[in-house]
């Protein structure tokens, strides 16, 4: 679905991502994980075109991402960020329908899609007429998720979508996310710093450190066959935290 | 019109006037007389002094203006001693200028006293003063020194006043009214004479030169022009002119004073204060409205442009900021000096537009810049074109700030527009500036109070507009998240 070919990114002398090759498979959830500044969010922002690679190229379903193609490609991606990124001057429904309306998608179709997705994401109907300021953090992320899924995107890009939520809400949203991904057979790229979340949601886990991939594979691969001590330390550090 | 060459009977008739009340009134009367005789005419009020009017007449910028025989003799023809009007007419004709007969009144120097005091002392003529050397004389410093002033006069009449002092003209009237002085110099048709119930002492020895009012006109003018002007000959007595001048000074409305001249034939009713304020306010709102509209139409795109980082942004914000630092009066003066603009309502509107630009540009730019980065990125990542991002996301989100800028601009404009009256664009500045010139507080307040009220109303109106135009989602404060 998405291929990174020798993609790197640096801001002046600061390297955010060393030259990287990486494939994201269709209908899989790929999790990018690693300590702060490892380059995981950078990869996501390169795919959605908020950053341009310093070297290399990114192919999306056969098309190279470039300034001329990015607008159309973005409409085939869904993007959810930590704070939801909802526009405060629009109600939840207006936020969700902003792009479909702008693109002139059929009203009834969008309406039934909205109903379907709100049920799937367990968003109460009455919150659709509320403004973002009137919604709880969990509700905002649900609205943001629905907005991202409205046009049946080829890929869903999630940048630490649950990081700002309290643990109870986060746990229930993790369950719902998994249900949604499975139900829609959705291709997902998820950025997180929580190994438990990565293990629960990810088909494939990509562990990064200082702008480079350390190891990529299933959680079992990383746990049982770590390529170096950093991998096992990263997994164990989080496990110790859970047990303590 | 000012630059048009001399001559040509088909040209529009322009009456000029000098920069004092009586000349304004005469110019206004002449304009009306010409129009009533089927000659379209304009009146250029208060152009300046004798030299400017004479130049304008001989060069063809104006067709006619009111002048005084004494001035024609001494300042224009520069002859010495008494000259008859007929001699002057012959002399003027060689310069292409005609002169009407005398209008009636003689606006010369005169000595005035309080009516009641003159009656008690039995004083009617200047010769009568000889018996009263105890009277206190307070004359202007100029009259004290002039060759046709106090000293030659006293010599001629044999006056031996012991107490003669120089005093400012306006203060002299006050001193006369409260009895500090008994006798003062005046122009014989000065409105203050009637206002303060004074009496003009008869110049029984004919000491003062004659300053009979006449109209000068171009000999190449439409022959109907002198014919019409001559209808005014002998129609204005001293008393009548004093009355018209007094009316002009009290109402600050020269056309109203002129209309008193025509009262036998039915005249306009004087405009009430309420009607005047309504007229000024309407004009003021028009000036503010038009300029605000242009400030918005120019300012918002500039603000959007300036919201993007870089040199252009610095340039736009820097330039509009610079304009704001120019004092409004100086900006007006600068614009007036541009030949294509000059003294016109357009110039006032351009000044107001420039002045109103900064708050709108700055608030638009900062309103957009203040949108949080994640929201900007969300708008882009969603797949909206830059144009749709601007209109659907950025401008609505910046609406509070933009409206705040427009409100500031409107309130500034209401205040600054009072200066528009300086260049004849009207509005509430008209009474303020007349009042300042005449040191008349009541007249100043006729403009200042409505202008202050207007600024307040504009402020309230915009607060209402906030509720209407700022999206509800941006006005919420509660955050249950």
């Amino acid at each position: 679905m998405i291929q990174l070919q020798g993609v790197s990114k640096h801001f002046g002398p600061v390297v955010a991502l060393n030259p990287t090759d990486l494939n994201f498979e269709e209908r899989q959830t790929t999790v990018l994980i690693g300590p702060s500044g490892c380059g995981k969010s950078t990869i996501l922002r390169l795919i959605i075109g908020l950053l341009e690679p310093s070297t290399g190229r990114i192919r999306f379903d056969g098309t190279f991402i470039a300034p001329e193609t990015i607008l159309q490609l973005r409409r085939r991606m869904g993007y959810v960020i930590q704070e939801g990124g909802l526009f405060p001057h629009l109600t939840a429904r207006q936020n969700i329908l902003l792009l479909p309306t702008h693109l002139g998608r059929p009203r009834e179709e969008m309406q039934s899609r909205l109903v379907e997705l709100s049920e799937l994401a367990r968003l109460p109907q009455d919150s659709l007429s509320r403004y973002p300021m009137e919604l709880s953090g969990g509700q905002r992320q649900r609205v943001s998720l629905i907005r991202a899924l409205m046009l049946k995107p080829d890929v869903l890009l999630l940048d630490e979508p649950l990081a700002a939520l309290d643990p109870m809400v986060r746990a229930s949203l993790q369950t719902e996310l998994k249900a949604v991904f499975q139900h829609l057979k959705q291709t997902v790229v998820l950025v997180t710093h929580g190994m438990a979340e990565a293990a629960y949601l990810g088909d494939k886990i990509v562990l990064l450190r200082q702008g480079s991939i350390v190891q990529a594979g299933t959680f079992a691969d990383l746990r049982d066959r770590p390529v170096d001590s950093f991998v096992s330390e990263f997994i164990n550090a989080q496990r110790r935290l859970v047990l303590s | 019109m000012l630059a048009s060459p001399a001559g040509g009977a088909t040209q529009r008739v322009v009456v000029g006037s000098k920069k004092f009340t009586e000349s304004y009134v005469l110019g206004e009367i002449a304009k009306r007389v010409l129009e009533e005789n089927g000659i379209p005419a304009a009146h250029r009020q208060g152009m300046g002094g004798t030299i400017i009017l004479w130049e304008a007449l001989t060069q063809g910028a104006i067709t006619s203006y009111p002048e005084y025989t004494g001035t024609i003799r001494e300042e224009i023809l520069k002859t010495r001693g008494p000259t008859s009007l007929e001699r002057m007419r012959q002399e003027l004709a060689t310069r292409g200028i005609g002169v009407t007969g005398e209008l009636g009144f003689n606006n010369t120097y005169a000595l005035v006293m309080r009516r009641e005091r003159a009656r008690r002392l039995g004083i009617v003529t200047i010769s009568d003063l000889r018996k009263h050397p105890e009277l206190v004389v307070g004359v202007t410093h100029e009259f004290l020194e002039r060759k046709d002033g106090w000293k030659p006069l006293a010599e001629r009449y044999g006056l031996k006043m012991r107490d003669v002092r120089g005093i400012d003209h306006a203060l002299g009237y006050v001193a006369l009214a409260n009895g500090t002085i008994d006798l003062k110099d005046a122009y014989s048709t000065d409105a203050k004479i009637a206002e303060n119930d004074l009496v003009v002492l008869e110049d029984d020895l004919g000491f003062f030169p004659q300053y009979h009012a006449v109209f000068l006109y171009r000999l190449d003018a439409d022959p109907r022009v002198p014919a019409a002007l001559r209808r005014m000959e002998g129609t204005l007595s001293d008393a009548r002119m004093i009355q018209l001048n007094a009316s002009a000074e009290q109402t600050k409305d020269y056309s109203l004073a002129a209309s008193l001249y025509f009262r036998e034939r039915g005249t306009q009713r004087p405009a009430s204060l309420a009607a005047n304020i309504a007229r000024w306010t309407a004009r003021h709102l028009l000036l503010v409205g038009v300029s605000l509209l242009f400030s918005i139409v120019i300012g918002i795109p500039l603000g959007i442009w300036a919201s993007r980082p870089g040199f252009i942004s610095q340039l736009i914000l820097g330039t509009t900021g610079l304009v704001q630092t120019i004092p409004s009066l100086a900006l007006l003066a600068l614009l007036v000096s541009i030949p294509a603009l000059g003294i016109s309502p357009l110039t006032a509107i351009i000044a107001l537009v420039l002045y109103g630009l900064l708050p709108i540009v700055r608030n638009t730019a900062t309103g957009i810049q203040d949108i949080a980065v994640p929201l900007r990125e969300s708008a882009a990542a969603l797949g909206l074109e830059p144009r749709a991002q601007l209109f659907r996301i950025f401008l609505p989100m910046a609406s509070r700030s933009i409206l705040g800028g427009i409100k500031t601009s409107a309130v500034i404009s209401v205040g600054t527009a009072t200066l528009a009256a300086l260049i004849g664009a009207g509005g509430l500045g008209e009474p303020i500036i007349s009042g300042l010139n005449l040191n008349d507080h009541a007249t100043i307040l006729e403009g200042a109070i409505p202008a202050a009220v207007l600024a307040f109303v504009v402020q309230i109106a915009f607060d209402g507009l906030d509720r209407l135009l700022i999206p509800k989602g941006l006005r919420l404060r509660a955050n249950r998240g």
Side-chain angles (χ1 to χ4, degrees):
Chain A
M1 182 93 260
I2 304 171
Q3 289 100 35
L4 271 66
Q5 302 171 347
V7 172
S8 74
K9 180 68 191 176
H10 52 80
F11 302 96
V14 182
V15 175
L17 189 67
N18 290 306
T20 300
D21 296 305
L22 187 60
N23 283 349
F24 297 93
E25 303 299 334
E26 215 164 325
R27 298 189 177 187
Q28 272 201 356
T29 297
T30 308
V31 178
L32 303 176
I33 193 167
S36 298
C38 70
K40 54 190 192 294
S41 283
T42 302
I43 293 177
L44 220 56
R45 295 159 64 79
L46 284 164
I47 295 172
I48 194 91
L50 293 174
L51 297 176
E52 279 187 61
S54 304
T55 65
R57 347 183 249 186
I58 301 169
R59 202 148 77 160
F60 182 93
D61 196 24
T63 310
F64 286 112
I65 289 175
E68 315 84 73
T69 58
I70 190 63
L71 185 67
Q72 293 305 322
L73 294 180
R74 273 172 182 164
R75 291 174 181 171
R76 296 168 60 190
M77 307 179 196
Y79 184 56
V80 177
I81 58 173
Q82 189 172 323
E83 300 287 353
L86 297 180
F87 304 117
H89 63 295
L90 301 175
T91 61
R93 176 179 280 104
Q94 288 168 332
N95 263 287
I96 292 167
L97 293 175
L98 179 62
L99 187 63
T101 312
H102 179 65
L103 298 177
R105 294 300 164 88
R107 247 181 117 78
E108 302 75 33
E109 191 187 317
M110 287 303 118
Q111 199 53 48
S112 59
R113 176 83 175 155
L114 174 56
V115 171
E116 179 196 350
L117 288 175
S118 343
E119 277 168 15
L120 207 56
R122 294 167 180 257
L123 180 75
Q125 281 292 316
D126 64 332
S127 37
L128 284 174
S129 52
R130 300 229 175 99
Y131 287 95
M133 290 286 256
E134 301 170 312
L135 297 172
S136 69
Q139 285 171 332
R140 266 182 243 163
Q141 291 309 84
R142 287 179 166 92
V143 172
S144 187
L145 180 69
I146 294 170
R147 182 172 74 177
L149 290 169
M150 274 305 281
L151 296 178
K152 302 187 178 169
D154 295 326
V155 63
L156 184 62
L157 306 171
L158 306 174
D159 194 353
E160 310 214 27
L162 309 180
L165 303 176
D166 63 63
M168 296 277 286
V169 179
R170 189 186 309 156
S172 81
L173 254 166
Q174 278 170 351
T175 320
E176 282 152 36
L177 277 181
K178 185 156 186 144
V180 170
F181 298 165
Q182 282 172 352
H183 181 84
L184 298 175
K185 302 185 176 61
Q186 184 69 48
T187 309
V188 178
V189 180
L190 171 70
V191 167
T192 180
H193 57 256
M195 191 45 101
E197 190 170 299
Y200 178 65
L201 291 171
D203 300 308
K204 178 180 171 185
I205 294 171
V206 179
L207 179 60
L208 293 115
R209 182 193 188 192
Q210 290 171 2
S212 298
I213 296 174
V214 183
Q215 189 173 0
T218 61
F219 176 68
D221 290 337
L222 268 66
R223 181 191 56 202
D224 303 335
R225 287 173 292 280
V227 294
D228 62 14
S229 58
F230 169 74
V231 178
S232 39
E233 270 169 31
F234 192 82
I235 291 175
N236 290 326
Q238 299 223 348
R239 191 180 275 172
R240 271 202 304 279
L241 216 63
V242 173
L243 294 175
S244 63
Chain B
M1 188 157 321
L2 202 95
S4 59
T10 52
Q11 271 188 312
R12 178 150 192 205
V13 172
V14 180
V15 179
S17 59
K18 294 194 196 179
K19 218 175 175 122
F20 55 86
T21 304
E22 186 169 285
S23 196
Y24 275 68
V25 173
L26 289 174
E28 203 59 36
I29 293 173
K31 176 187 176 230
R32 289 271 301 268
V33 166
L34 288 166
E35 281 173 347
E36 290 193 357
N37 285 276
I39 308 161
H43 177 198
R44 285 181 62 86
Q45 297 185 342
M47 294 169 67
T50 304
I51 295 166
I52 290 173
L53 272 291
W54 174 252
E55 290 291 320
L57 182 68
T58 51
Q59 287 169 12
I62 57 175
T63 322
S64 175
Y65 80 93
E67 191 49 282
Y68 302 90
T69 51
T71 310
I72 296 172
R73 186 166 46 238
E74 272 158 43
E75 288 188 52
I76 295 174
L77 300 178
K78 299 191 169 65
T79 52
R80 291 246 161 235
T83 315
S84 73
L85 187 57
E86 210 38 56
R87 287 283 302 282
M88 282 187 230
R89 183 166 286 132
Q90 287 164 13
E91 189 62 37
L92 287 168
T94 65
R95 308 186 194 196
I97 302 300
V99 58
T100 65
E102 290 165 4
L103 304 184
F105 67 90
N106 176 17
N107 185 1
T108 182
Y109 275 112
L111 290 185
V112 293
M113 287 185 79
R114 266 179 295 144
R115 182 181 300 281
E116 161 272 325
R117 181 137 173 86
R119 199 185 52 222
R120 198 139 38 87
L121 296 175
I123 296 172
V124 178
T125 66
I126 299 180
S127 298
D128 294 339
L129 291 173
R130 239 172 278 155
K131 292 167 277 177
H132 297 280
E134 77 285 1
L135 290 177
V136 181
V137 180
V139 293
T140 58
H141 297 91
E142 187 191 347
F143 188 75
L144 213 47
E145 300 306 323
R146 275 180 75 106
K147 289 196 204 77
D148 54 356
W150 176 255
K151 281 167 196 165
L153 174 86
E155 205 171 302
R156 176 81 188 276
Y157 277 97
L159 305 180
K160 297 196 168 50
M161 271 61 176
R162 287 182 290 264
D163 191 352
V164 180
R165 48 180 99 159
I167 189 165
D168 172 81
H169 186 62
L171 288 178
Y173 282 112
V174 178
L176 200 56
N178 67 23
T180 315
I181 61 175
D182 299 305
L183 202 62
K184 129 165 208 60
D185 60 319
Y187 300 109
S188 54
T189 54
D190 200 324
K192 292 279 195 310
I193 294 172
E195 222 169 274
N196 295 332
D197 198 23
L198 306 177
V199 64
V200 175
L201 304 185
E202 191 189 320
D203 181 16
D204 50 327
L205 296 183
F207 171 80
F208 289 119
Q210 299 292 296
Y211 282 83
H212 291 283
V214 292
F215 269 90
L216 293 180
Y217 57 88
R218 293 183 59 85
L219 286 173
D220 63 359
D222 184 333
R224 292 179 300 157
V225 171
L229 292 173
R230 261 183 229 112
R231 285 166 197 261
M232 295 163 67
E233 289 172 3
T235 58
L236 280 161
S237 65
D238 283 13
R240 189 76 178 286
M241 197 63 230
I242 290 171
Q243 188 190 16
L244 297 186
N245 288 343
S247 156
E249 288 193 3
Q250 279 159 17
T251 62
K252 328 293 178 218
D253 185 342
Y254 302 111
S255 63
L256 171 69
S259 71
L260 286 178
Y261 174 81
F262 297 93
R263 69 180 163 187
E264 302 90 319
R265 283 174 277 164
T267 56
Q268 307 153 233
R269 296 192 58 75
S272 68
L273 178 60
N276 273 339
I277 289 178
R279 182 169 54 86
W280 291 324
T281 305
R283 179 72 178 187
H284 205 82
L285 280 174
L286 185 72
L287 284 172
V288 171
V290 170
S291 55
L292 187 63
L293 192 72
F294 277 101
S295 291
I296 293 170
V297 168
I298 299 169
I300 292 180
L302 275 181
I304 292 168
W305 206 6
S307 71
R308 292 161 198 164
F311 172 70
I312 298 278
S313 165
Q314 304 287 321
L315 187 74
I316 293 172
L317 290 174
T319 309
T320 48
L322 192 71
V323 170
Q324 197 85 18
T325 62
I326 305 173
S328 37
L329 202 56
L331 182 65
L332 214 54
L334 277 175
L335 289 174
V336 163
S337 70
I338 299 172
L341 297 174
I343 291 183
S344 71
L346 178 68
T347 308
I349 286 175
I350 290 175
L352 289 175
V353 169
L354 287 175
Y355 240 64
L357 226 43
L358 179 69
I360 297 177
V361 172
R362 199 177 40 203
N363 278 33
T364 303
T366 55
I368 292 174
Q369 284 165 347
D370 285 349
I371 297 171
V373 174
L375 287 177
R376 293 167 168 281
E377 291 189 346
S378 287
L382 201 58
L384 289 171
E385 309 85 328
R387 199 185 152 76
Q389 292 175 30
L390 182 67
F391 284 102
R392 288 177 172 267
I393 314 287
F394 300 154
L395 287 181
M397 284 187 68
S399 58
R400 182 191 293 274
S401 176
I402 295 172
L403 271 173
I406 294 174
K407 171 160 58 179
T408 308
S409 179
V411 172
I412 289 177
S413 194
V414 167
T416 314
T418 53
L419 292 175
L422 282 175
I423 57 172
L428 289 165
E430 225 170 82
I432 295 178
I433 286 160
S434 311
L436 284 173
N437 287 339
L438 299 164
N439 196 21
D440 176 348
H441 298 293
T443 308
I444 293 174
L445 292 180
E446 283 172 17
I449 291 173
V453 170
L454 201 59
F456 188 64
V457 168
V458 165
Q459 176 90 25
I460 288 177
F462 269 94
D463 288 344
L465 221 55
D466 276 2
R467 263 183 283 282
L468 214 67
L469 293 179
I470 296 177
K472 182 177 174 233
L474 296 180
R475 285 182 274 120
L476 298 171
R477 280 167 206 284
N479 185 349
R480 303 194 282 118

